[in-house]
Amino acid sequence: MIATVSDIIKKAIKECQQNGAIKTEELPDIIIEKPKRDDFGDFATNIAMLLSSKEGKQPRQIAELLAKEIRQSENIKKVDVAGPGFINIFMGDNYWLNLLKEIYHLKGKYGASDIGAGKKVQVEFVSANPTGPLHIGHGRGAAVGDTLANILKAAGFEVTKEYYINDVGKQVEILGRSLYLRYLELLGKKVEFPDDHYKGAYIKDIARDIVTKFGNKYDKTNEDSLPFFTNFAAESIMKLIKKDLADFGIEFDNWYSEKSLFDKGLVLQTIDELKKREIIYEKDGATWFRTSDFGDDKDRVLIKADGEKTYFASDIAYHREKINRGFSMLINIWGADHHGYEGRIRGFLKALGYDDSSLKIIFIQLVALLRNGIPVPMGKREGEFVTLREVMDEIGKDACRFFFLTRKSDAQLEFDLELAKKQAPENPVFYVQYAHARICSIIKHAREKGLHLPKLVPAGSPTRTFGDKFKQGTEDVNIKLLSLKEEFDIIKKLASFPDIVKGSALAMEPHRITFYLQELAAMFHPYYNKNRVVTEDMQLTNARLYLCEAVRTVIKNGLNLLGISAPEEM
RNA sequence: GCGCCUGUAGCUCAGUGGAUAGAGCAUCAGCCUCCGGAGCUGAGGGUCGGAGGUUCAAAUCCUCUCAGGCGCGCCA
């Protein structure tokens, strides 16, 4: 939409340059905004103000010259010069009405674009350690990552969603030992369960599994069987996590194992590469990477004095792999408590000579669960944390995903479970989904009165096939009967959807879609309440059904991006 | 102490350098012979944490400052 307006303005500038009215050749970026006030037009540009100093003319004077040219373009109702030198553009009615046809034709594709130009992007998210079930914080990262991936796809990027599994290291070993001890316990042995081991009930469940499957086969007093328990535990928990994610509507394209980096020798290879560049040194028996030469606060250990590699060592190998796999943009979604880690990973990329601006890290701030406004206690001990599963079971996947996206990622989120469950307009999920269901109901009602939606199929539409029994085409729907201000306001809102999707993709801010849908629903409900769609006036009814259908399409497309269902009945 | 994030209406939050800063909730006052009242209408409510600066223009950019959260491991 804005692209079209931008073309009109560019054309006007060109005209002015040709006839000598404007001399500047190097033009600033054309910024088009949608003014807050209706009387400032549908679109406004500040280009005249930006050209003012170069041209040596008053902004308003330049604006007048441009306005004169813009008025010559098609579908322009009015062009004003206002304030310090804004050019306010009012589009003609046909411009907006034609948009309804566009939506009708594009259906599920309305909102999509190709600004991503097929660039390969990787979104890595969740990547929770396989040491326990996903908690509510992981859920927020999951919702943001998955939605962002959807939005980027809609904007024409080629997206790979990936989960990095930390399946080696101390934590997984402790996990294996925890399972081993629970297993022995089940077999009636007296064990001492260390305080730093995993105490969650899920470990006992897994131990019970082993007893059922293998009996006392691994009942040894020594620890030879520990690797078995480690693997069994990690695999069992990954299964749980995968199930949680699947039920949350998320499918990853790739599960990348940290262990595989070691197996393929990539960790040592990466360290060798740093060695060759002589940015590695030995100190106190450990091997250090001179990240502080590349913007990090201090140097970091890659190989500990005991010979073990650090997590950082395998992580740089992983990031090197990502780049080698040909992604032109890497998006990492991390919990905010990992932000201290950013410097060293950027340091690594810079050390290898990569442009670290191709790495974008989105930090997800904390989620505070509330119940009727009162905080739900979330201690970290003894599995007191609330799992994603529990919340999903209580309020449903849709509400859960939506609520995670009602704030920008870098703001803390208050998540009220009771509000999320409410079937009332103060619950934003409900409010948006209800708009969709309501439109479906209106269409159904119209059908019962003999007005069929297929009648809305415009003549020549690709959905029409030979033998189509619906003889009437778009000309039967006289959309010019849509004349109310509310109707145009809604159409204009629908018109901005593709720009919202693009902006959301480029800024990597999925919450913009959530806000947009709430705003759209907030325009539709009052319109419905004030104006009857299905009346005795067939022509008007058809036109309004056509508008409703467009609203429905956009709500549905938006909800699809969020991974939330668009119910026809509620 | 250093670094990152946050600070906007009573509360929760939008607001990619633009014109008179917005929404929801809450509060108050209203609306159901009618396509889904599971909804709608209206009102009040603001030193954009504070102080400087940059410019035609700052909630937005820069510096300083105050408050809250998080991080500063040979943990992951």
Side-chain angles (χ1 to χ4, degrees), chain A residues 13 60 73 95 282 291 307 383 390 419 428 433 475 501 561 570:
Chain A
I13 295 173
R60 288 192 65 111
S73 294
Y95 176 84
E282 305 283 326
T291 48
E390 289 172 85
L419 175 61
Q433 285 184 322
E475 277 58 56
V501 178
L561 290 175
M570 295 175 76

Side-chain angles (χ1 to χ4, degrees), chain A residues 1 23 106 108 201 231 249 278 293 305 329 396 434 469 480:
Chain A
M1 208 40 58
K23 294 176 185 69
L106 289 172
N231 283 334
E278 297 179 344
D293 284 2
M329 196 173 14
Y434 181 61
K469 60 179 171 178
K480 290 191 176 164

